[in-house]
């Protein structure tokens, strides 16, 4: 079995707007800091055309390519099916349901059908690696990079789909995941087998309970739970440290080498979520009094403990019956 890091292809399902926003940071740093063979952007025709222009320009000579999303799963039937399901619950919920978010998860799963290697990796377009990240341990086992997050709706869906319960203390949701092609196929086949139409994504949507339809499925949480239950000890778990709420502190267009060096002392990656465009705390982030006397980890922990992002304790932001991403 091929387990060397440089046999891994990285897929990044995304939309054109997010690609343009992050292209000056993500592709080059992923190639530089992750021991991978190629980066494949997956999206619609507009996205593929935009990336291909850059392949002949700013990415010339770099292992960057594209794949049209329709090769993996037709977009419109997925979107229509989700909307129809939402309408059976309450049509007023439609603006809250991120149909494209569900669709991108299905793309990551469906890539196992075209992957020719034993493993492939998904990386989020809004996340920038800060330092070198290994993907396999010395024995050739891939890492499950875990964090602290919990959404009960995800596990309701996992139970309905696979009859499995949460089986680790943390969460399999980080900003990336290394997938074993055969295990993903196995999981998808199990899901497909319970569908009258043999359609895994329809079965997933049907398995999301009404109360959680706005945010009811995680491909990472589902895959991690499945593999840990059915193929124990094939992955090695480690904590992944990311500066998840980067957009509150600095703009992706204003991230400096000094920022990266400071953050990389404690964090593996920084995420710039699209929902927050104007940094609220850039003056704190760049204040020499803090920058020169505190590690980035201590700085972030202090902000979290202040309650700025909500009720924070034990490394988690408590939000009722779930834990928000930190």
């Amino acid at each position: 079995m091929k387990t060397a890091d440089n046999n891994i292809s990285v897929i990044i399902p995304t939309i054109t707007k997010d690609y343009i926003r992050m292209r000056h940071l993500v592709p080059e740093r992923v190639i530089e800091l992750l021991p991978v063979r190629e980066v494949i952007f997956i999206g619609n025709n507009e996205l593929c055309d935009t990336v291909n222009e850059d392949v002949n320009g700013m990415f010339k000579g770099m292992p960057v390519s594209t794949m049209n999303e329709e090769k993996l799963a037709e977009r419109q039937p997925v979107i229509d099916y989700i909307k129809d399901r939402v309408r059976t619950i309450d049509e007023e919920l439609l603006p809250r349901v991120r149909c494209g978010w569900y669709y991108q998860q299905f793309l990551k799963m469906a890539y196992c059908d075209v992957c020719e290697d034993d493993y492939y990796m998904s990386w989020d377009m809004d996340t920038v690696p800060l330092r070198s990240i290994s993907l396999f341990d010395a024995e050739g086992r891939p890492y499950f990079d875990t964090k602290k997050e919990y959404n009960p709706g995800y596990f309701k869906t996992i139970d309905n789909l696979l009859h499995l319960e949460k089986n680790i203390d943390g969460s399999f949701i980080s900003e990336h995941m290394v997938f074993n092609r055969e295990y993903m196929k196995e999981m998808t086949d199990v899901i497909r087998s319970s569908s009258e139409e043999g359609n895994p994504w329809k079965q997933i949507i049907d398995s999301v309970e009404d109360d959680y339809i706005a945010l009811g499925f995680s491909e990472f949480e589902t895959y991690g739970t499945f593999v840990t239950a059915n193929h124990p000890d094939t992955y090695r778990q480690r904590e992944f440290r990311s500066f998840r709420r980067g957009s509150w502190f600095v703009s992706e267009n204003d991230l400096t080498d000094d920022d990266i060096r400071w953050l990389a002392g404690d964090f593996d990656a920084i995420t710039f979520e699209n929902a927050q465009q104007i940094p609220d705390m850039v003056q704190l982030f760049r204040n020499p009094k803090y920058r020169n006397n505190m590690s980035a980890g201590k700085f972030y922990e202090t902000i979290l403990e202040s309650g700025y992002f909500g009720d924070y304790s034990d490394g988690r932001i408590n939000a009722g019956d779930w834990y928000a991403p930190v």
Side-chain angles (χ1 to χ4, degrees):
M1 181 174 281
K2 293 175 286 187
T3 56
D5 283 349
N6 60 9
N7 281 319
I8 286 279
S9 294
V10 177
I11 62 169
I12 305 182
T14 189
I15 59 176
T16 305
K17 179 180 69 173
D18 290 343
Y19 168 76
I20 290 174
R21 184 171 68 93
M22 300 296 299
R23 64 183 170 185
H24 66 293
L25 286 171
V26 174
E28 185 173 357
R29 294 191 66 83
V30 165
I31 293 167
E32 176 188 355
L33 297 174
L34 277 65
V36 299
R37 185 175 69 238
E38 61 180 341
V39 175
I40 305 169
F41 288 96
I42 300 175
N44 62 15
N45 287 331
E46 180 188 27
L47 182 278
C48 291
D49 289 344
T50 303
V51 175
N52 287 333
E53 287 181 8
D54 290 341
V55 168
N56 294 316
M58 63 190 296
F59 301 142
K60 193 173 183 63
M62 295 171 60
V64 176
S65 61
T66 61
M67 176 179 290
N68 193 292
E69 62 194 15
E70 299 285 328
K71 182 176 180 179
L72 301 176
E74 291 184 76
R75 182 184 186 89
Q76 201 56 49
V78 173
I79 302 302
D80 290 344
Y81 194 82
I82 296 170
K83 288 182 176 180
D84 287 344
R85 169 70 203 289
V86 174
R87 290 188 183 101
T88 67
I89 303 169
D90 184 352
E91 188 158 3
E92 293 185 1
L93 289 173
L94 276 173
R96 294 176 48 202
V97 178
R98 298 161 57 195
C99 298
W101 172 77
Y102 276 106
Y103 177 63
Q104 283 194 1
Q105 296 188 67
F106 302 154
L107 293 176
K108 297 173 195 176
M109 296 172 63
Y111 187 78
C112 72
D113 293 325
V114 300
C115 179
E116 297 180 353
D117 298 316
D118 294 320
Y119 296 95
Y120 64 97
M121 182 172 122
S122 174
W123 185 271
D124 288 357
M125 188 68 217
D126 61 6
T127 298
V128 181
L130 296 168
R131 58 190 182 188
S132 295
I133 301 171
S134 58
L135 304 179
F136 295 84
D137 69 9
E139 298 175 2
R141 291 180 300 174
Y143 286 106
F144 270 141
D145 287 336
T146 61
K147 298 176 68 177
K148 294 182 178 180
E149 180 177 341
Y150 175 70
N151 183 327
Y154 294 160
F155 290 96
K156 293 282 188 180
T157 304
I158 291 169
D159 185 26
N160 293 335
L161 280 172
L162 302 169
H163 308 297
L164 295 173
E165 297 181 348
K166 182 174 172 60
N167 53 25
I168 67 166
D169 289 336
S171 169
F172 291 106
I173 300 173
S174 61
E175 291 75 22
H176 65 281
M177 178 169 277
V178 174
F179 295 111
N180 178 298
R181 177 193 61 187
E182 291 303 320
Y183 296 166
M184 179 61 84
K185 284 185 176 181
E186 179 184 340
M187 186 185 82
T188 305
D189 285 344
V190 171
I191 295 171
R192 182 182 288 111
S193 67
S194 61
S195 168
E196 291 183 3
E197 300 181 40
N199 189 311
W201 57 260
K202 285 186 178 181
Q203 187 64 21
I204 290 168
I205 295 302
D206 289 344
S207 297
V208 177
E209 297 192 358
D210 291 358
D211 290 346
Y212 298 105
I213 192 63
L215 199 70
F217 175 71
S218 165
E219 81 286 38
F220 289 174
E221 206 78 271
T222 304
Y223 175 82
T225 301
F226 177 83
V227 171
T228 304
N230 292 281
H231 302 280
D233 301 322
T234 58
Y235 278 71
R236 180 178 172 184
Q237 292 183 39
R238 67 179 175 187
E239 183 181 0
F240 187 75
R241 298 206 66 193
S242 66
F243 199 85
R244 173 64 184 259
R245 296 169 183 260
S247 295
W248 275 258
F249 297 90
V250 63
S251 165
E252 67 271 13
N253 293 316
D254 193 34
L255 187 69
T256 68
D257 289 342
D258 285 341
D259 296 335
I260 290 173
R261 278 191 291 270
W262 184 55
L263 290 166
D266 289 302
F267 295 100
D268 299 301
I270 181 171
T271 295
F272 295 93
E273 292 182 321
N274 196 28
Q276 176 71 16
Q277 289 294 316
I278 301 173
D280 288 344
M281 291 180 283
V282 66
Q283 291 184 340
L284 281 176
F285 183 75
R286 292 267 172 75
N287 190 321
K289 182 174 70 173
Y290 303 116
R291 180 68 65 93
N292 297 333
N293 293 288
M294 299 177 79
S295 68
K298 181 61 177 176
F299 170 82
Y300 192 42
E301 187 79 7
T302 301
I303 298 296
L304 291 168
E305 289 175 346
S306 75
Y308 184 87
F309 295 113
D311 178 22
Y312 177 79
S313 62
D314 191 30
R316 310 170 190 264
I317 295 177
N318 301 305
D321 63 345
W322 63 291
Y323 298 126
V326 174

